Amino acid sequence: MNKVDEKLTANAVIAKTLDEATTSDPDLIVVTCDSRGSAGLVPFTNAHPDRTIEMGIAEQNAVTVAAGMAHEGMHPYVFSPASFLAMRAIEQVKVDVAFNHNNVKLIGISGGNSYTWLGNTHHSLNDVAITRAIPDLEVYQPCDKYQIKALFKYLLKSDKPAYVRIGKRKLDNVYHKDFHFTPGKAKVILPGKDVCLISTGETLYFALQAAKELVKDGIQAAVVDLASIKPLDTEMIAALAQKFNYLVTIEEHDVINGIGAAIACEVAQYGHAKLKILGFPDEPAIQGTQDEVFRYYGLDTAGIKKSVKSFLSE
Amino acid sequence: MNILELKKKAVALRKRTWQLIYNHQNGHTGSDLSCADILVALYYAVMNQNAENIGQKDIDTYIQSKGHAVEIWYEILADKGYIDRADLEKRYSTFNSPYIGHPTTEVKGMEFHTGSLGHGLGLGVGVALAAKMKQLRKHIYVLMGDGEQAEGSIWEAAMAAGNYNLDNLTAIIDHNDLQISGTTDSVMRSNPLSTKYRAFNWDVLEVNGNNMGDVVNILTKPNDTNKPRLIIANTVKGKGISAAENRADWHHKIPTATEYQAGLQELDAQMEALNNE
């Protein structure tokens, strides 16, 4: 395999990107919650012990302490499983980070269903719903290594608080190395006219594969990347809701208040399109590998195809 | 400012706080009066911070974790020239005012929005850690309530402060033994606090938090322990107004017209006694 197209985990890309950024940002630090191993940060923390603040298994305090450090001009990146960062520590995120405008970047690792058989205590299938409801907090869910690099190029310069949700899978490549990330902008990555698939994070690749295969069935599906969940590209979504008769959202998230709900809100106000929301149902998720679970809930390529075909024939 | 002048300042600011709360019919009266002496000591005798240099390098940080005792803080910031007193007295607790019932960063002098309890100590740990990393010569003061000690996040922060030997951090507990529903011992027993914090690697001192001389002495005592310092300030909720003293219901009770007049007379008598010292 060509080295340029080597598949990497989001963790590995982030750790390397932050390591490179230490040369230009003397205030960059990582804050960990006994999470340096699961965050893939061991090479970083070994190379930069003076930039590593270990907070122990105490996510609430990690977020608050990071806020205090940001207040003093540091640039903290807090790494913790998405489930704990966006749920247990959410009041600290709301008050100490977002409301106080402290420049803390919250990196929710092992997001969605990626803890597989560790079960629902560890899954974060509600994190987007919660974080996107908090004023002054940006929310991103990148899909591949090029987008992660580009997103972090932005985050490293931004003074705004942000939550980034990543998973554990080795990511398929959607973009190329010259990809440029613009916050607040959705991106059409495949043109089409019959239906528009909107996805984010790891499910975007499956949506793209489904769209490519749907051509054989005579369906020209557009695909839109919604890595920037907040700020939301309401302008483009309104345009899509007017242009297309059918929109389908796909996410590794509960169907309640994820990106499907965000799109629904725009469609109901500005468009005429029919909308289908694909995600995890409002129940404790079934256990299994991520592939098995995606298949079960119809979030893999075959499942997305099936849902699109059935939706268009309704 | 000598101790007598500080005592007079505390009485004068209690009076302004009493007036502010009565005039606008809003405020945490008992909580304000409880910690008034601690705040006066910090702002007029202890901290290296003023309206001109706040936020600059090496300047001390004050974080009020028990955010609800905000009226006494407003009056101190007004008296010290951080904010305009006429503006405060006009707009306090009115529509779209920055002077609300909890500290906000819209008010000069307040570096953090607080009020949701259990956050201030962790913020102080963050500031103290950053100050160590940046080799700043500043000290961080955090005021907490005793009812607030039931918040679990405080103990996460206490553990981290002890773990990182944050001797540039002083936490003060306004230990008046009362919270909104009753005594702290009846609501959730956090006592004894000294042994708990010592077990978390803190240097713990205790003081009469309404005795100005003692408060100033303890807050200016050098810390050579290589540990964060906790000062348990034993106080009287509602201190200075006899009707409000040691009464849980005065946590945020507003004085009646009669109580208000009696309170003013009491404070005036205290000032007269100090003037005769």
Side-chain angles (χ1 to χ4, degrees):
Chain A
M1 185 179 282
N2 185 331
K3 195 169 189 309
V4 176
D5 293 316
E6 184 192 0
K7 285 189 183 183
L8 295 171
T9 62
N11 283 347
V13 183
I14 292 171
K16 188 164 182 294
T17 306
L18 292 182
D19 180 56
E20 288 163 4
T22 56
T23 55
S24 56
D25 185 352
D27 295 320
L28 189 156
I29 52 168
V30 302
V31 178
T32 54
C33 309
D34 195 18
S35 52
R36 61 181 77 187
S38 45
L41 281 171
V42 173
F44 181 98
T45 56
N46 284 344
H48 308 286
D50 54 329
R51 290 173 184 265
T52 305
I53 303 294
E54 178 60 73
M55 276 295 129
I57 307 169
E59 294 80 12
Q60 298 173 66
N61 194 46
V63 170
T64 303
V65 168
M69 297 188 82
H71 178 76
E72 287 300 297
M74 309 298 289
H75 301 152
Y77 286 72
V78 182
F79 286 80
S80 169
S83 176
F84 312 137
L85 200 52
M87 300 287 262
R88 186 193 291 259
I90 197 62
E91 204 241 355
Q92 282 75 11
V93 172
K94 172 200 153 195
V95 175
D96 302 328
V97 175
F99 185 38
N100 268 287
H101 291 277
N102 282 314
N103 179 13
V104 177
K105 304 298 195 280
L106 304 152
I107 316 300
I109 62 170
S110 310
N113 188 64
S114 57
Y115 268 123
T116 64
W117 58 273
L118 292 184
N120 282 297
T121 55
H122 281 56
H123 296 334
S124 63
L125 295 163
N126 323 84
D127 55 335
V128 169
I130 294 168
T131 53
R132 82 181 182 93
I134 293 177
D136 295 321
L137 182 69
E138 297 182 349
V139 181
Y140 300 108
Q141 196 176 340
C143 67
D144 81 349
K145 65 181 178 186
Y146 298 116
Q147 191 173 47
I148 291 170
K149 275 188 187 169
L151 167 64
F152 273 72
K153 194 174 170 186
Y154 158 72
L155 292 175
L156 285 158
K157 285 187 183 151
S158 159
D159 62 358
K160 292 175 182 157
Y163 172 73
V164 180
R165 193 242 256 192
I166 57 169
K168 285 165 86 86
R169 168 189 292 272
K170 279 197 172 178
L171 297 166
D172 291 289
N173 296 319
V174 174
Y175 293 109
H176 300 287
K177 70 173 168 45
D178 54 355
F179 174 77
H180 177 76
F181 181 79
T182 310
K185 290 289 170 198
K187 193 170 175 68
V188 180
I189 59 172
L190 191 72
K193 63 179 178 56
D194 300 321
V195 57
C196 180
L197 314 184
I198 304 172
S199 190
T200 182
E202 294 184 10
T203 50
L204 180 73
Y205 180 77
F206 302 116
L208 185 60
Q209 293 307 109
K212 285 175 180 170
E213 292 182 18
L214 281 166
V215 175
K216 292 171 204 154
D217 297 306
I219 297 170
Q220 292 183 36
V223 178
V224 169
D225 176 8
L226 202 70
S228 181
I229 296 171
K230 194 178 184 183
L232 188 67
D233 191 347
T234 51
E235 205 175 314
M236 183 190 280
I237 294 163
L240 295 173
Q242 286 162 17
K243 180 183 170 189
F244 287 92
N245 289 325
Y246 297 95
L247 301 179
V248 178
T249 61
I250 306 104
E251 59 193 310
E252 188 181 354
H253 190 274
D254 196 295
V255 290
I256 293 181
N257 289 339
I259 65 159
I263 302 289
C265 193
E266 300 304 315
V267 172
Q269 294 182 85
Y270 306 111
H272 68 273
K274 283 180 75 181
L275 172 67
K276 182 91 184 161
I277 296 173
L278 304 183
F280 282 67
D282 181 28
E283 64 189 30
I286 199 164
Q287 290 193 50
T289 67
Q290 207 174 18
D291 287 341
E292 287 168 341
V293 171
F294 276 21
R295 193 176 310 133
Y296 182 80
Y297 290 123
L299 299 171
D300 62 347
T301 302
I304 296 167
K305 266 173 68 183
K306 192 176 162 196
S307 289
V308 169
K309 283 202 272 190
S310 132
F311 187 38
L312 264 57
S313 63
E314 273 176 16
Chain B
M1 218 176 249
N2 64 34
I3 298 299
L4 181 61
E5 287 167 330
L6 290 169
K7 285 181 181 173
K8 289 182 190 171
K9 186 58 84 178
V11 173
L13 288 165
R14 276 193 168 92
K15 185 175 173 182
R16 283 193 189 147
T17 302
W18 186 247
Q19 291 168 323
L20 186 73
I21 289 171
Y22 180 73
N23 289 338
H24 290 269
Q25 295 288 296
N26 255 326
H28 283 84
T29 317
S31 312
D32 286 318
L33 296 169
S34 174
C35 61
D37 302 298
I38 298 165
L39 264 78
V40 167
L42 283 171
Y43 271 89
Y44 296 84
V46 178
M47 281 203 294
N48 174 25
Q49 187 206 93
N50 59 45
E52 282 71 46
N53 66 17
I54 184 168
Q56 292 174 14
K57 190 172 179 281
D58 294 329
I59 297 305
D60 293 345
T61 292
Y62 171 68
I63 301 168
Q64 191 164 309
S65 194
K66 51 170 289 180
H68 52 278
V70 74
E71 293 81 19
I72 182 71
W73 195 10
Y74 285 143
E75 288 294 355
I76 287 175
L77 293 177
D79 188 61
K80 295 275 286 181
Y82 290 74
I83 58 175
D84 179 60
R85 187 145 69 89
D87 190 46
L88 167 67
E89 290 177 355
K90 184 176 159 207
R91 296 172 69 202
Y92 168 69
S93 76
T94 59
F95 177 72
N96 200 23
S97 167
Y99 313 114
I100 60 168
H102 289 106
T104 83
T105 57
E106 286 179 63
V107 177
K108 188 176 179 186
M110 299 180 169
E111 297 189 54
F112 292 96
H113 299 277
T114 54
S116 173
L117 296 172
H119 289 243
L121 191 59
L123 292 169
V125 169
V127 176
L129 269 172
K132 292 246 177 198
M133 289 176 90
K134 289 175 172 274
Q135 297 180 308
L136 302 178
R137 286 191 302 275
K138 67 181 285 180
H139 203 87
I140 296 90
Y141 298 89
V142 177
L143 179 69
M144 297 184 283
D146 50 2
E148 187 186 1
Q149 299 302 308
E151 291 283 6
S153 52
I154 284 186
W155 299 97
E156 291 187 6
M159 192 181 289
N163 179 73
Y164 284 107
N165 300 98
L166 298 178
D167 55 7
N168 55 348
L169 172 69
T170 297
I172 305 154
I173 296 176
D174 181 9
H175 192 234
N176 56 36
D177 275 323
L178 289 174
Q179 57 194 101
I180 196 165
S181 306
T183 64
T184 50
D185 278 352
S186 70
V187 177
M188 180 51 66
R189 192 173 58 246
S190 57
N191 290 315
L193 288 162
S194 56
T195 47
K196 290 187 176 74
Y197 275 87
R198 279 196 188 103
F200 281 55
N201 196 39
W202 284 64
D203 177 48
V204 181
L205 304 174
E206 210 154 336
V207 71
N208 176 344
N210 295 126
N211 182 308
M212 186 61 75
D214 292 351
V215 170
V216 171
N217 278 341
I218 208 153
L219 281 170
T220 50
K221 188 178 174 215
N223 182 358
D224 53 10
T225 63
N226 195 34
K227 295 175 183 180
R229 172 171 285 172
L230 175 74
I231 295 170
I232 298 172
N234 296 312
T235 52
V236 172
K237 194 161 188 139
K239 178 72 180 179
I241 309 278
S242 52
E245 285 187 358
N246 273 321
R247 295 265 306 262
D249 60 334
W250 272 84
H251 179 76
H252 57 181
K253 183 180 178 318
I254 309 304
T256 63
T258 313
E259 286 165 342
Y260 176 65
Q261 291 304 334
L264 286 181
Q265 283 171 20
E266 231 178 304
L267 291 166
D268 287 343
Q270 288 167 30
M271 186 62 91
E272 199 172 323
L274 289 170
N275 284 335
N276 292 332
E277 269 188 27

